[in-house]
Amino acid sequence: MALKILSVVGARPNFMKVAAICEAIKGINSLGAGEQIHHVLVHTGQHYDTNMSDSFFNDLELPRPDLCLGVGSASHSVQTARIMERFESVVLNEQPHLVLVVGDVNSTAACALVAKKTWCRGDGGVKYFIPKLAHVEAGLRSFDRTMPEEINRIVTDSISDYLFTTEESANQNLLHEGIPENRIFFVGNVMIDTLLRHRSKAHESTILQDLQLADGREVKPYAILTLHRPANVDDKRVFCHMLDSFLDISKRMPVIFPAHPRTLKRIQDEDLGDYFVDHFVQGPEPWDWRVRIRLVPPLGYLDFLRLMSEARVVLTDSGGIQEETTILGVQCITLRDSTERPVTLEHGTNVLVGSKPENIIREFNRVSLRGQELTRSPFYWDGNAAKRIIKVLIDDFCPEWSSVMAESALESESKELTQN
Ligand code: UD1
């Protein structure tokens, strides 16, 4: 009988993580021994716009979800409750051996709770069981409990059976919280699996030409801005002070701002349009180009990867971008006071500045002169994290398949890696 895994995606940062898992499962199922893993992909619909969701399925060649829950936007509690209500029927119908959740969004915590509270009817209807729960990207902590993501991480980790980690700090955090060591698996970073796999394809993107950032082969210096955390955009005073500093930077190099829908809504609600020029709807005054922040819609995965790869500096409050810039060697100024990913500070190009304009400008002045830097990749950020995850699950659920895998690339790769 195939091992049945039900994976959950909901919001933008989930897609690239689950893409790597899908790829590893495809690898196992193509070994010639039939379908070893039956994979069911569920999309909660937390993100639903084409730009925030559909384009990622195309760019990442993700299989279409088997089930869409269509929960949409709402307050945190309502959104979480809707996901739980709809996901419970999915678990009851599908009866998976394992539910796999990634990251720290509301969909992650909501589906984790459902997985561990639902009794499934086993074969023949006599044996009841609760599905096992795997959390990919476990153990990250910002130690800031005002962040909804931190709550989602703590809740999910506390009830998971398999905690797959990306960096050493995560292992230590989990041990300090009393998670038994035999549940923690240091496997590396699935988001980096996807980045490495798509890097050459992203090179074909025309985004630099579309945004007039490249003249032939020559790329002009530019900065990228991403901003969506409530702490930065919900308080008008904080948001405006930050925008003042980005405007200042715009006078020195173009600042390209693919705006998240929640940020765009804040801009519209607070009437902050004067800070921006819509890149694709140019105003009558040509000087606008030089002294305004250039607003563009949220970009697809390949376009954003290409844009990020050539940027002089990335200014961001995202979590995943801190990791991606680490691998790309691009200077990253994180607009937060804490990070749950300290390895990006130790190994990467990341620096924390918070939201104060004078700190943002000071750091920009310092790093924008530096250009890209080749850094030492964090351990196991090598493109094989998803394979390690699947190997752990197969060894536990179906040890008899280990012989099938013995000859496979997966087995030889993981042996090689353990010896390093
Ligand atoms: C969510 C995640 C955050 C992640 C971010 C990446 C949580 C708690 N937060 O934040 O960790 O970094 O996604 O994008 O899960 N909206 C749309 N269209 C969409 C999606 C959202 O218009 O496709 C708007 C809606 O107005 C919505 C708002 O964005 O109210 C917030 O969306 P939501 O999914 O609740 O949280 P994010 O801020 O996107």
Side-chain angles (χ1 to χ4, degrees):
M1 193 184 50
L3 163 63
K4 188 167 188 178
I5 299 181
L6 202 156
S7 297
V8 177
V9 291
R12 186 169 60 175
N14 295 159
F15 304 128
M16 32 290 214
K17 294 170 194 167
V18 168
I21 302 287
C22 289
E23 202 51 36
I25 292 178
K26 208 162 97 188
I28 284 291
N29 285 343
S30 64
L31 285 179
E35 188 185 57
Q36 313 265 14
I37 297 180
H38 181 59
H39 192 210
V40 179
L41 185 60
V42 181
H43 189 341
T44 64
Q46 177 175 344
H47 285 176
Y48 44 86
D49 286 352
T50 305
N51 287 338
M52 299 296 287
S53 175
D54 297 0
S55 76
F56 286 79
F57 281 82
N58 297 333
D59 278 5
L60 299 168
E61 293 167 57
L62 253 176
R64 295 285 133 190
D66 298 287
L67 296 155
C68 294
L69 308 185
V71 297
S73 299
S75 70
H76 281 261
S77 300
V78 170
Q79 189 177 57
T80 306
R82 271 191 206 149
I83 298 169
M84 288 183 71
E85 199 176 6
R86 295 179 197 186
F87 190 63
E88 185 184 44
S89 325
V90 173
V91 175
L92 285 169
N93 283 335
E94 296 291 335
Q95 305 191 28
H97 300 111
L98 179 108
V99 171
L100 183 145
V101 295
V102 298
D104 56 14
V105 302
N106 287 342
S107 301
T108 311
C111 294
L113 280 169
V114 171
K116 294 315 293 177
K117 279 169 164 265
T118 306
W119 284 90
C120 293
R121 197 182 280 267
D123 290 338
V126 279
K127 215 171 109 202
Y128 284 84
F129 68 96
I130 293 177
K132 296 285 184 194
L133 175 65
H135 185 205
V136 175
E137 204 184 82
L140 298 180
R141 296 289 180 270
S142 64
F143 303 101
D144 174 358
R145 291 198 176 196
T146 65
M147 287 177 73
E149 292 82 2
E150 182 79 348
I151 303 302
N152 291 338
R153 289 188 280 258
I154 293 169
V155 167
T156 307
D157 285 341
S158 68
I159 55 175
S160 289
D161 302 291
Y162 295 88
L163 296 102
F164 294 112
T165 60
T166 53
E167 59 171 271
E168 181 53 29
S169 75
N171 302 333
Q172 294 308 320
N173 293 335
L174 294 172
L175 290 172
H176 284 142
E177 288 173 19
I179 304 286
E181 200 172 352
N182 63 1
R183 286 195 209 160
I184 304 169
F185 301 89
F186 183 20
V187 291
N189 194 324
V190 289
M191 191 142 176
I192 301 304
D193 290 5
T194 296
L195 183 150
L196 296 175
R197 187 160 168 262
H198 287 84
R199 210 172 168 179
S200 55
K201 199 166 158 201
H203 218 77
E204 292 161 23
S205 154
T206 58
I207 191 72
L208 298 179
Q209 286 73 25
D210 298 347
L211 296 176
Q212 293 162 33
L213 296 168
D215 209 354
R217 293 178 78 95
E218 198 189 323
V219 179
K220 301 171 191 167
Y222 63 90
I224 306 177
L225 168 66
T226 84
L227 199 68
H228 72 282
R229 302 245 164 231
N232 286 332
V233 301
D234 284 3
D235 181 327
K236 186 178 178 185
R237 215 173 48 92
V238 173
F239 192 20
C240 285
H241 281 151
M242 293 180 88
L243 290 176
D244 286 335
S245 63
F246 306 139
L247 211 49
D248 195 33
I249 293 171
S250 296
K251 290 172 192 152
R252 283 174 276 166
M253 66 174 72
V255 175
I256 311 296
F257 182 25
H260 189 288
R262 84 189 302 283
T263 311
L264 212 49
K265 190 165 182 305
R266 297 293 303 148
I267 292 168
Q268 281 155 358
D269 290 353
E270 300 292 353
D271 204 11
L272 300 174
D274 279 355
Y275 282 99
F276 306 95
V277 56
D278 185 332
H279 186 92
F280 293 108
V281 186
Q282 295 161 35
E285 304 98 337
W287 49 266
D288 258 357
W289 278 90
R290 289 188 297 278
V291 295
R292 296 285 194 275
I293 302 161
R294 293 197 199 174
L295 205 58
V296 297
L299 297 175
Y301 183 77
L302 297 173
D303 284 342
F304 191 69
L305 179 53
R306 176 77 183 124
L307 193 63
M308 204 163 37
S309 308
E310 296 291 342
R312 181 61 67 95
V313 183
V314 176
L315 300 134
T316 188
D317 61 2
S318 149
I321 291 176
Q322 298 171 45
E323 298 181 340
E324 291 169 329
T325 48
T326 288
I327 292 299
L328 296 170
V330 171
Q331 304 292 341
C332 180
I333 298 180
T334 295
L335 307 161
R336 290 169 46 189
D337 295 318
S338 61
T339 179
E340 59 287 337
R341 294 160 160 94
V343 78
T344 61
L345 302 172
E346 294 146 18
H347 280 246
T349 45
N350 189 20
V351 55
L352 291 180
V353 300
S355 55
K356 289 207 175 75
E358 59 274 23
N359 295 345
I360 297 173
I361 302 276
R362 192 197 57 232
E363 211 50 46
F364 174 81
N365 288 339
R366 197 175 67 83
V367 305
S368 62
L369 298 173
R370 275 194 186 172
Q372 299 197 351
E373 276 179 313
L374 275 185
T375 52
R376 196 161 47 90
S377 295
F379 191 60
Y380 273 177
W381 290 23
D382 58 0
N384 291 308
K387 288 181 185 167
R388 293 190 192 98
I389 290 171
I390 297 304
K391 182 171 184 333
V392 167
L393 297 177
I394 283 194
D395 282 352
D396 255 25
F397 280 86
C398 338
E400 69 278 10
W401 294 348
S402 298
S403 60
V404 178
M405 287 169 46
E407 302 300 314
S408 75
L410 173 62
E411 181 75 358
S412 48
E413 254 165 36
S414 53
K415 262 188 202 146
E416 213 176 275
L417 291 161
T418 342
Q419 283 157 8
N420 282 340

